[in-house]
């Protein structure tokens, strides 16, 4: 069976340390899943390339552009997620948050997620736990215990390599164990399926919503 893992990377430069860390995590996850007897397909969403589409989406009532709709579909159909952002003002970047904001509220139900971040100094390392982990917990994702933070001096160190391997192993264990596309790790009696939000149901015209309304609060 082949699994799908989507990588979200919010680096702004080309190349970027954020993309470098994302690629290291993706390679480690590929190895870890392969070690459990399954194949994995890695899909990378480079948010820098979606910046204009994201701005258009959030300023036009949330109607996604084709590029944003495709990205949302990839995320909701994935078996696992690797989310990597640079640190700006002690938190995730605005571009990263803008993408998360356009995801459907059920896009990450029970999805195993590795959170990771890059910064110029280790002083920002706690942002994984006070910013990123609560964000994905709110979205009902299952965040693996090991978060991966990399300051500039960490690249090439054995410590970073070990954290990457440990986080990848934790993600691989959940991805292989989980039923595809279902919030199987949530405590709900009937886990909710993941949805992209791209397929909308019938919309009731505003005039019909107001029909019979007198304007009275009674």
């Amino acid at each position: 069976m082949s699994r799908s893992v989507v990588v979200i990377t919010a680096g702004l430069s080309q190349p970027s340390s954020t993309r470098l860390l994302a690629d290291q995590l993706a390679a480690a996850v590929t190895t870890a899943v392969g070690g459990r007897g399954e194949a994995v397909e890695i899909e990378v969403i480079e948010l820098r390339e979606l910046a204009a589409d994201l701005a258009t989406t959030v300023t036009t009532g949330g109607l996604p552009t084709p590029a944003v709709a495709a990205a949302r579909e990839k995320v909701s159909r994935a078996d696992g997620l690797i989310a990597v952002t640079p640190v700006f003002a002690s938190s995730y970047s605005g571009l990263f948050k803008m993408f998360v904001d356009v995801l459907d509220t059920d896009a990450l139900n029970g999805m195993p997620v590795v959170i990771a971040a890059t910064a110029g100094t280790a002083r920002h390392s706690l942002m994984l736990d006070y910013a990123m982990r609560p964000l994905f917990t709110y979205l009902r994702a299952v965040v693996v215990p090991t978060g991966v933070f990399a300051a500039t001096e960490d690249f090439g160190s054995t410590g970073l390599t070990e954290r990457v391997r440990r986080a990848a192993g934790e993600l691989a264990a959940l991805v292989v164990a989980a039923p595809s596309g279902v919030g199987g790790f949530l405590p709900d009696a009937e886990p909710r399926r993941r949805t992209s939000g791209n397929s909308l149901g019938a919309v009731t015209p505003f005039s019909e919503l107001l029909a019979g309304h007198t304007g009275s609060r009674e």
Side-chain angles (χ1 to χ4, degrees):
M1 177 186 240
S2 180
R3 300 288 183 162
S4 170
V5 171
V6 167
V7 181
I8 298 172
T9 173
L12 298 181
S13 60
Q14 179 66 21
S16 70
S17 59
T18 302
R19 179 58 188 266
L20 176 59
L21 180 58
D23 288 344
Q24 290 180 3
L25 283 163
V29 167
T30 299
T31 299
V33 173
R36 293 175 176 272
E38 294 196 15
V40 62
E41 179 183 359
I42 302 291
E43 292 189 271
V44 178
I45 299 176
E46 186 74 67
L47 297 187
R48 180 177 58 86
E49 299 173 356
L50 284 178
D53 288 273
L54 287 169
T56 298
T57 297
V58 300
T59 56
T60 55
L63 183 65
T65 66
V68 169
R72 298 203 308 184
E73 197 69 36
K74 287 180 181 178
V75 169
S76 65
R77 290 181 178 274
D79 296 304
L81 184 71
I82 298 170
V84 193
T85 178
V87 177
F88 291 153
S90 299
S91 188
Y92 35 71
S93 72
L95 181 62
F96 182 86
K97 183 58 164 58
M98 191 157 49
F99 181 72
V100 173
D101 285 345
V102 303
L103 293 177
D104 189 74
T105 54
D106 288 325
L108 300 180
N109 284 336
M111 184 178 293
V113 176
V114 168
I115 54 174
T118 59
T121 171
R123 289 182 301 167
H124 295 296
S125 59
L126 289 178
M127 69 80 64
L128 289 176
D129 290 319
Y130 68 68
M132 290 191 76
R133 196 175 295 273
L135 174 66
F136 283 98
T137 298
Y138 170 78
L139 293 170
R140 297 184 293 275
V142 179
V143 185
V144 304
T146 302
V148 182
F149 178 87
T152 301
E153 65 267 20
D154 289 327
F155 284 95
S157 69
T158 56
L160 177 59
T161 299
E162 177 55 35
R163 292 195 299 276
V164 167
R165 288 176 179 170
R166 185 164 62 246
E170 292 166 356
L171 184 70
L174 293 177
V175 165
V176 171
S180 181
V182 179
F185 293 107
L186 294 175
D188 300 357
E190 296 182 4
R192 288 165 288 192
R193 284 199 165 270
R194 300 176 191 134
T195 56
S196 67
N198 291 334
S199 299
L200 299 178
V203 178
T204 302
F206 191 62
S207 58
E208 291 185 19
L209 291 175
L210 293 178
H213 184 65
T214 62
S216 171
R217 294 186 178 181
E218 297 180 359

